[in-house]
Amino acid sequence: MKKIFFVILLLVSCIGQGQTKEIAPNTVSVTGRAIVKRTITRYKAKVSLNMEQVYYSNPQCTSLETFKAKYFAKLDEKGIDSLEFKENKMEFLAYGYQRDGTVLELETTSLDKIKTLSQIKMPGISTTYQFKAEITEADYEKLLKEAFDNAHTNASKIGKVSNKKLGAIVSIVDNTVNQSIWNSHNYNYEEYATIYVTYRLD
């Protein structure tokens, strides 16, 4: 009997401790945000040379090498060195066209060069553009502070309407912002640095 009594006592004690642990203090979880303002530092152009289109518009151009020579001549006329381009034929193969072609890539810090490149128009040529947008380490730290201050303000407002005093921080979760990203020029939405902060309410 004594053994059974002690077992029951032990079970009651464990259940009591479990219930105590489940009782969490009053907390409030809020989101803090700050607008990310990036600086464009580099530009990238991808020029696709597609023999499938040339076949109909210029039947005299029968090889990719001839087509490339014509395009490089156009680049030379505009003062752009063809040696600045890197060829990526494997990317063109992934497009699944029936005829030959290639992709030429140019990466530069010069917006003027990208504008000049966009003026070159030829049948069988299509060009897409991207830009590299960055924030510095110092700017990133400022963003985190702004987001944290915003979270604290939001938590304080909730504490005020609930007649609670804002206490210590329980947890912080940072939604990391990449310091550099490549985007196309249809990037027209606001980007935010976001953190999630949980405070104790006393």
Side-chain angles (χ1 to χ4, degrees), residues 126-158:
S126 60
T127 309
T128 58
Y129 303 95
Q130 289 182 305
F131 64 90
K132 188 177 187 180
E134 297 185 290
I135 53 174
T136 65
E137 185 67 31
D139 287 338
Y140 182 63
E141 291 179 5
K142 290 178 182 178
L143 279 174
L144 288 179
K145 186 179 185 308
E146 288 178 20
F148 177 79
D149 289 346
N150 180 243
H152 187 271
T153 298
N154 294 336
S156 296
K157 290 178 181 178
I158 295 173

Side-chain angles (χ1 to χ4, degrees), residues 51-191:
M51 287 297 294
E52 191 163 310
Q53 298 175 14
V54 175
Y55 176 78
Y56 297 102
S57 62
N58 187 4
Q60 291 77 27
C61 187
T62 58
S63 72
L64 178 59
E65 291 307 314
T66 301
F67 189 21
K68 284 167 61 177
K70 288 179 177 291
Y71 182 65
F72 289 162
K74 289 283 187 180
L75 291 175
D76 187 59
E77 289 176 8
K78 295 292 185 179
I80 300 177
D81 188 354
S82 61
L83 295 177
E84 294 184 58
F85 287 79
K86 293 181 180 180
E87 188 168 8
N88 186 352
K89 195 164 186 177
M90 287 300 297
E91 181 169 342
F92 184 84
L93 292 175
Y95 296 161
Y97 290 110
Q98 296 298 316
R99 296 186 181 275
D100 202 4
T102 192
V103 172
L104 302 174
E105 299 178 351
L106 172 68
E107 191 171 321
T108 178
T109 58
S110 172
L111 177 58
D112 289 337
K113 186 173 291 185
I114 292 295
K115 289 180 177 178
T116 300
L117 183 66
S118 69
Q119 296 169 6
I120 300 176
K121 310 293 183 181
M122 287 177 60
I125 296 289
S126 60
T127 309
T128 58
Y129 303 95
Q130 289 182 305
F131 64 90
K132 188 177 187 180
E134 297 185 290
I135 53 174
T136 65
E137 185 67 31
D139 287 338
Y140 182 63
E141 291 179 5
K142 290 178 182 178
L143 279 174
L144 288 179
K145 186 179 185 308
E146 288 178 20
F148 177 79
D149 289 346
N150 180 243
H152 187 271
T153 298
N154 294 336
S156 296
K157 290 178 181 178
I158 295 173
K160 183 176 181 181
V161 299
S162 60
N163 294 319
K164 296 284 187 179
K165 183 180 178 182
L166 203 63
I169 295 173
V170 176
S171 68
I172 300 177
V173 179
D174 171 32
N175 186 10
T176 304
V177 173
N178 292 327
Q179 288 187 240
S180 65
I181 54 175
W182 284 96
N183 280 307
S184 60
H185 281 280
N186 61 359
Y187 178 80
N188 55 7
Y189 60 88
E190 290 185 334
E191 180 187 6

